[in-house]
Amino acid sequence: MARTREPKPVVVLGLVGSTLDAGVGPKRWGRWRPTVDLCRHEDLLVSRFELLHQPHWTDLARTLAEDIVQVSPETEVRPSVIEMKDPWDFEEVYAALLDFVRAQRFRPEAEDYLVHITTGTHVAQICWFLLTESRELPARLLQTSPPGGRTKGGDPGLHRIIDLDLSKYDQIASRFRQDQREGLSFLKAGIDTKNRAFNELIARVEQVAIRSRSPVLLTGPTGAGKTRLARRIYELKRQRKQVSSTGRFMEINCATLRGDQAMSMLFGHAKGAFTGAVKDRPGVLASANGGVLFLDEIGELGLDEQAMLLRAIEDKRFLPVGSDHEVESDFQLIAGTNRDLGRRVREGRFREDLLARIDLWTFELPGLRERPEDIPPNLEYELQRYAARENARVTFSREAQTAFLRFATSPAATWAGNFRDFSAAVERMATLAPGGRITAKGVAEETERLRRAWGRGEDVDLDRGLIVSVLGEQAYEDLDLFDRVQLAAVLRVCKGSRSLSEAGRTLFAASRRARTSVNDADRLRKYLAKHGLHWQDLHGDGAAS
Amino acid sequence: MDGHEDREPLTVDGAQGEGGGQVLRSSLALSLVTGRPFHIHRIRARRRKPGLLRQHLTAVRAAAEVSGATVEGDALRSPELRFAPGPVRAGDYGFAVGSAGSTMLVLQTVLWPLLLAPGRSRLTLEGGTHNPMAPPFDFVERCLLPLLHAMGAHVQVELRRAGFYPAGGGELVVEIDGGHPLRPLERLQRGAIAETFARAQVSSLPVSIARRELEVVHARLGWSRQWLKTERVSSLGPGNVLMLELRHDGGTTLVTGFGEKGVSAEEVAVRTVEEAERFIAAGVPVCEHLADQLLVPLALAGGGSFRTMEPSLHTRTNAELVQRWLPVSITLHDEGGGAWRVDVGPR
C-alpha cells in the first residue's frame, strides 16, 4: 500500500475574534464562531491552538478554550495574552504579533503551522500576512467562512488553506510562464531568434530586468543592438510596473561628451555655472529619476565624471555643476561598452570601484556574424519595420532573397557594423526596390556596396576607437586626421602581427622590395616611440578592437 | 470465531454500496470479532471529502485500543487503511469524541467485540449523544438493548448527560459482561401497537418549541395528551429532539426528529410524524434503522429472522459486508406491501 506519510500535527495560531467569537450563553452554539468552528471540521484536526487575546478578553478566551475542548477533545488550547491598545494601529499590532512570533520556538519540521486570519481586525490580518510572507512566521494562512444559506444548522462552514508559495499554483505559474515568454519575445522585439546563446542571454536579461534594480552592463561590438536592448528592457520594466509611471528612458553616448559639457549633460548645471549657462539644466541623471539611464560607451567617460557617477549610483544623489544643492535621482543604470573595461582599469582609465559596481549583471551581446541563424528572422523584422515606417510593403523575389541570405551568412559578410549595417542594407534595398519588389539585381548592387565598405576599413569610428584604446582620449584629440589615419593603420598591422619584425616587414614591404630599408623593425620602433608607444603596449593582451 | 481460521487479510472496497463510514466501522467491528486483519481501500472515495475524516479516525483508534491492533494509514484524508487486530481485551475504556463524530458511532464499533470478549467492560463515552446523523442514545437504550438482552447479551447503558449537536459535551456509560454466547432471534410479527408515547426534549431552548411539536403529534396521530411529555434536559449547548415511541409485540420502535435552526417546530414534528406513519402502515416489527443494527448481532449469533421495511442502501451494503466476514448468508426478500423479510442463517 502506498504508505501515507505520517502527517505533522497541526498547530493553529489565531486571535480571539471579539465580535465573531463573542457569546457566553447557550445561544452561542447557534452561531458560527470562527475560532470554535475551525476545530469542528471533519477534515482538519487541530492538535494545538495558540489562542491570542487582549487582556480584557480573558473570559471570552476561556469560554472559547472550553468549547473547543468539548467539540474537539483532540485539541489542546493555549491562551496567550497579547497587548494591543489599538487593534487598528498597524505599527502596534505588527510589533505585538512580531514579538509573539519571535518568542515562539517554531519547529516546522515537526509541526504544521496555520495562521487563522478570519478573526481580528483587518490590520491584524495584514500583519499576519506580512509575517507569513516574510517567513518570519513559518505558517500557511487559514481562512474560514460561515456555512452557506441552505446548509444544515451546526455546519462549521468552510475552511481554506492559502499557501503563499506562488509556484504551487498551476494557474499563477502558467500565467507567470506566459508573462515570461511575452517578456522574452518583447526583449527580442518580437524577432523569433534561433541562436541559442543569444536566446539564453535574453532569458537571463529578462530575469534580471524584472527582478533587479541593480546596474546592468551590456557589452558587445558596435551595432550589436545594445541601445535597442536597453530601451526594450526599460519598456518591459514599465509594462511590469518596475519603473515608476513617470520614469523615463534617458540615453546618452559617453563618447560624444567633451569637457565641461560632459559634466553638465550628465549631472546638470545651475544657471551661471559657466559661460553660456544661462539657465538651470537638469542633466540626464536627474531626468532619468524613477526610470532607466542608458550610458553607452561608458568606457569613454572621463575620470571625474566616473567618480560623480559612482556616487550618484550609490547614494542616489549628486551635485550639479555650479550648484550648492544636491539633487536626488533614483534610476536604474544600464551601461554599454564595446571595450574591455578590465583593461581600461589596468590602464588607469576606468575606476575599478565603478566597474565593480556596474559589473554585477554583465551581458555580452554577440555580433551578427556569430548569429547567422538569426539573419532570416531579422530580415523579416527589418522588412516589417520598413513597411510600418514608410507605409509601403516591400518583398524580395525568391531569387533575390536566396542571394541575399547566401551572402549575408557567408564569411565574406563581416557585418563590421553588425545590426547597424544590416538595417541600413535592408533599408537601401527596400528604398531602391522598383514597385516594392527587391530583385536579384538590387541585391547584387547592395552586396557589392557592403563588400566595398567593409574592404575599405577606413571607418573613422574604428580608427578612433583603436587610437583611443592605446593613447587615450586627449592624445587622439591632439592628432591631426593625417596622423590618425596613419597611426590607425600601423596599429592594426601591429595588433595582427606576432612580432615587431613581422609588423615591420608588412608595413615596409614596398621599401623592402626596393631594398631601400634594411631595418624595418627599427623604423617601426622609432615611429611608435614618436607617439610614446612601445611594442609591449600594443601586445599587453591579445585584444584587438 | 470458530470455524473461521482464515488469517489472510480481507480486502474491502471502501466505496462499495453506500460507500461511507459504515463500511469502515462494520469492518473494524467484524475484524475485532473474527481476529482477521483487513485492508480497506478507496475509503469514502465517492464522497465530497473522500478518505478518513476525524470521526472515522476516532473509530479506528477506539478499535485499535480495545485490541492492541497494528494500524497503518490512520491519517486524516487517508484513502486506505491496514488494520491487524490483537485479542480483544475486556476492561475500562474511555473515549472522548468530538461533536461531529457521535459517541453512538464509536459504540457501534466496539460494542460487539466487547460483548464477545470474556470479562467485564466499562465504556465511558464523551461527546455527542443526540446527533441527527447517528442513532440517538434513546434508540440504543430502548430499541436495540432489549433485543440484545433477548439474545442473551449482558449490557446496560446509562446516560449521564445529553450532548446535543453541535456542542456535544454529553456522557454515557456502557457496562458489559462479555463472553455470553448470543442466541438467534426472531422478530416476524408486530401485532397491534399497544402503547404510544411521545417526548419532546429541549435544552437551552424555550419549552414552547417542545409543546408545539407535541401539538402536531396530537393533531396528526391522535395520540392522547396524557402520553405526550415535554422535557427540559441539561446539556452544554442548545438542542431539541422529538421522540415517538411505539410499543408492540416485536419490541419498541423509536422515531426521532431533530430541531434545526431555520426549521419550524411544526415542520420538525410533521417530518417525524410522517416517518412514524410509514412505519405503522408497513405493519412490520422492525424499523429500517434497527434492521441495520441487527445484522451484525444476528450473524454473530449464527442466525435469526425479522420483518422490516424496505432495506436502505446502508442495510444492503452492511448485509454484503457481513457475509464476507462471517460464514452466514443473509437474504432480503420483498414480501410486497412495503414489508421485507430478512433471514440470517449459516452458509
Side-chain angles (χ1 to χ4, degrees), chain A residues 395-539:
Chain A
T395 54
F396 273 90
S397 74
R398 181 193 291 254
E399 191 192 352
Q401 177 149 359
T402 311
F404 181 72
L405 290 178
R406 195 189 305 123
F407 167 75
T409 54
S410 72
T414 58
W415 296 115
N418 290 297
F419 286 96
R420 199 171 293 144
D421 284 356
F422 186 79
S423 181
V426 176
E427 183 169 347
R428 276 190 298 267
M429 288 189 291
T431 309
L432 298 173
R437 187 81 171 161
I438 299 172
T439 59
K441 184 165 168 282
V443 169
E445 280 169 18
E446 180 57 30
T447 52
E448 192 44 42
R449 219 205 69 79
L450 288 169
R451 264 185 231 273
R452 271 201 315 276
W454 293 330
R456 276 203 311 266
E458 61 184 8
D459 189 319
V460 173
D461 270 348
L462 289 181
D463 286 356
R464 180 173 185 280
L466 189 58
I467 295 169
V468 167
S469 72
V470 292
L471 287 179
E473 200 77 53
Q474 202 55 50
Y476 175 79
E477 293 299 329
D478 295 342
L479 285 175
D480 287 326
L481 177 61
F482 178 86
D483 292 317
R484 286 178 190 169
V485 173
Q486 188 181 39
L487 180 57
V490 170
L491 292 174
R492 242 175 235 117
V493 171
C494 290
K495 292 202 172 217
S497 304
R498 282 186 301 267
S499 67
L500 188 70
S501 304
E502 188 191 324
R505 282 195 296 278
T506 309
L507 286 164
F508 303 108
S511 304
R512 271 179 85 85
R513 278 194 300 274
R515 300 188 182 275
T516 54
S517 167
V518 285
N519 199 340
D520 308 325
D522 191 52
R523 223 172 138 186
L524 176 57
R525 190 182 294 115
K526 282 179 179 153
Y527 173 79
L528 292 174
K530 204 173 82 184
H531 290 285
L533 292 169
H534 298 282
W535 173 257
Q536 288 79 1
D537 295 337
L538 306 178
H539 278 261

Side-chain angles (χ1 to χ4, degrees), chain A residues 1-7 26-31 38-46 66-67 70-75 150-159, chain B residues 39 49 53-58 61 72-82 96-101 132-133 165-170 204 236-238 260-261:
Chain A
M1 123 176 198
R3 268 209 77 161
T4 38
R5 204 152 40 86
E6 196 60 36
K27 279 197 173 160
R28 69 185 187 273
W29 290 103
R31 284 192 303 106
L38 144 61
C39 300
R40 292 184 51 233
H41 288 284
E42 272 290 285
D43 55 349
L44 175 70
L45 177 55
V46 180
E66 286 166 6
D67 289 352
Q70 283 304 330
V71 298
S72 178
E74 303 95 326
T75 307
R150 283 311 308 153
T151 50
K152 283 203 161 192
D155 186 318
L158 302 170
H159 70 91
Chain B
H39 170 207
K49 290 179 181 173
L53 298 182
R54 284 172 66 184
Q55 55 162 313
H56 310 120
L57 277 182
T58 308
R61 283 172 189 160
E72 265 180 56
D74 55 334
L76 215 49
R77 302 306 291 269
S78 171
E80 53 185 335
L81 180 87
R82 279 184 193 279
V97 186
S99 63
M133 305 303 289
Y165 180 82
S204 305
L236 185 72
E260 238 179 80
K261 214 180 158 171

Side-chain angles (χ1 to χ4, degrees), chain B residues 34-302:
Chain B
T34 59
R36 185 176 180 186
F38 73 104
H39 170 207
I40 181 170
H41 62 109
R42 297 213 301 149
I43 298 173
R44 303 180 64 261
R46 291 179 284 114
R47 297 301 174 96
R48 195 168 61 84
K49 290 179 181 173
L52 289 173
L53 298 182
R54 284 172 66 184
Q55 55 162 313
H56 310 120
L57 277 182
T58 308
V60 170
R61 283 172 189 160
E65 194 174 329
V66 300
S67 69
T70 312
V71 187
E72 265 180 56
D74 55 334
L76 215 49
R77 302 306 291 269
S78 171
E80 53 185 335
L81 180 87
R82 279 184 193 279
F83 186 90
V88 177
R89 294 162 306 216
D92 266 19
Y93 296 102
F95 300 110
V97 186
S99 63
S102 169
T103 50
M104 296 301 137
L105 299 178
V106 176
L107 181 59
Q108 252 180 28
T109 310
V110 297
L111 176 61
W112 315 118
L114 291 176
L115 272 179
L116 297 183
R120 288 190 171 274
S121 291
R122 182 188 168 89
L123 202 53
T124 308
L125 297 169
E126 290 173 89
T129 58
H130 291 77
N131 179 332
M133 305 303 289
F137 170 82
D138 305 74
F139 171 87
V140 174
E141 182 192 36
R142 297 179 188 221
C143 308
L144 183 61
L145 238 55
L147 297 189
L148 294 182
H149 292 156
M151 293 174 76
H154 292 218
V155 53
Q156 299 299 328
V157 294
E158 184 197 346
L159 183 69
R160 296 266 176 85
R161 191 169 61 246
F164 285 97
Y165 180 82
E171 184 183 331
L172 70 127
V173 176
V174 185
E175 302 271 4
I176 298 163
D177 183 17
H180 298 277
L182 293 179
R183 297 186 293 267
L185 179 82
E186 193 171 272
R187 282 293 181 276
L188 293 171
Q189 304 306 321
R190 186 191 74 188
I193 289 170
E195 285 175 59
T196 55
F197 190 58
R199 287 177 299 150
Q201 295 183 334
V202 285
S203 161
S204 305
L205 287 173
V207 78
S208 62
I209 291 173
R211 283 200 203 101
R212 282 157 59 201
E213 286 170 349
L214 294 177
E215 208 45 52
V216 173
V217 174
H218 174 71
R220 289 281 300 260
L221 292 171
W223 291 7
S224 161
R225 287 186 201 279
Q226 186 188 349
W227 301 113
L228 308 182
K229 225 173 112 190
T230 60
E231 290 176 350
R232 284 174 183 279
V233 291
S234 160
S235 175
L236 185 72
N240 161 236
V241 59
L242 172 63
M243 293 180 279
L244 307 181
E245 213 172 305
L246 302 95
R247 294 182 190 162
H248 46 80
D249 292 349
T252 298
T253 297
L254 191 74
V255 180
T256 48
F258 285 90
E260 238 179 80
K261 214 180 158 171
V263 181
S264 73
E266 285 74 16
E267 202 180 327
V268 169
V270 166
R271 282 185 204 164
T272 318
V273 162
E274 283 173 353
E275 195 184 327
E277 285 172 340
R278 277 195 299 278
F279 172 76
I280 295 164
V284 295
V286 174
C287 75
E288 55 185 309
H289 304 296
L290 186 58
D292 202 24
Q293 304 293 324
L294 281 179
L295 293 180
V296 172
L298 291 192
L300 291 175

Side-chain angles (χ1 to χ4, degrees), chain A residues 224-357:
Chain A
K226 296 188 288 285
T227 308
R228 187 201 281 174
L229 181 58
R231 182 176 281 280
R232 287 267 155 186
I233 290 173
Y234 161 76
E235 282 166 7
L236 185 61
K237 289 181 89 89
R238 215 174 129 96
Q239 278 180 13
R240 304 258 174 99
K241 314 265 187 295
Q242 302 284 318
V243 295
S244 80
S245 58
T246 55
R248 295 159 63 191
F249 178 74
M250 299 301 294
E251 78 170 278
I252 196 157
N253 186 327
C254 300
T256 65
L257 300 174
R258 294 284 180 278
D260 278 351
Q261 287 298 321
M263 279 287 189
S264 165
M265 275 291 269
L266 291 170
F267 305 102
H269 63 240
K271 184 178 164 183
F274 50 84
T275 313
V278 293
K279 57 177 184 182
D280 284 355
R281 178 187 191 174
V284 289
L285 264 71
S287 302
N289 187 19
V292 170
L293 173 65
F294 177 53
L295 293 182
D296 201 3
E297 299 203 35
I298 196 166
E300 308 302 316
L301 207 57
L303 286 168
D304 293 345
E305 287 81 6
Q306 290 177 27
M308 285 272 280
L309 178 63
L310 179 61
R311 169 132 197 269
I313 298 169
E314 287 185 336
D315 301 347
K316 304 188 193 315
R317 54 176 62 223
F318 54 86
L319 202 58
V321 179
S323 171
D324 301 333
H325 301 290
E326 282 194 327
V327 171
E328 286 191 19
S329 180
D330 185 7
F331 56 85
Q332 178 170 21
L333 177 69
I334 301 179
T337 187
N338 57 7
R339 293 194 175 285
D340 176 354
L341 290 178
R343 185 167 151 209
R344 301 283 285 178
V345 167
R346 288 194 296 280
E347 291 166 356
R349 294 180 196 176
F350 201 82
R351 291 183 65 109
E352 191 169 9
D353 47 7
L354 179 60
L355 177 60
R357 196 71 187 78

